[in-house]
Each structure stands twice: as structure tokens, then as C-alpha cells.
Amino acid sequence: MTQRVIHRPARSTRPLPPASPRTVEPPPNLPEGKIGNAATTMLPLAGVMT
């Protein structure tokens, strides 16, 4: 019985494409002098958390 050494190339992967830049819109400006309730002031924090 003979033995042969079989050379198999290493597994290769293609590099990932470069990520495209994302643009983030600034938050809307709140009207001056009008203050809402506590839930309204916490709304921007809830948006940041998500």
C-alpha cells in the first residue's frame, strides 16, 4: 500500500468591502420658552438609549 502526500491549499477569505460613511441628522430644535412635562424632557434620553 502506498502513501501519497496531498497538498491542499489553505482556506482563504475575501476581505470585506470598506464601510460607507453614515450621515446622522442633528436633533430638531425645541421651541424656546415652552417647557413640557417630565416625560418630554426624558424623550431625547430615550432616543439615545435606543
Side-chain angles (χ1 to χ4, degrees), residues 17-33:
S20 59
R22 294 183 182 180
T23 56
V24 178
E25 296 179 9
N29 292 331
L30 296 176
E32 293 295 324

Side-chain angles (χ1 to χ4, degrees), residues 1 4-5 8 11-13 15 26-28 32 35 39 41 44:
M1 194 171 179
R4 280 191 195 175
V5 176
R8 295 183 180 171
R11 190 178 292 181
S12 61
T13 58
E32 293 295 324
I35 298 177
T41 59

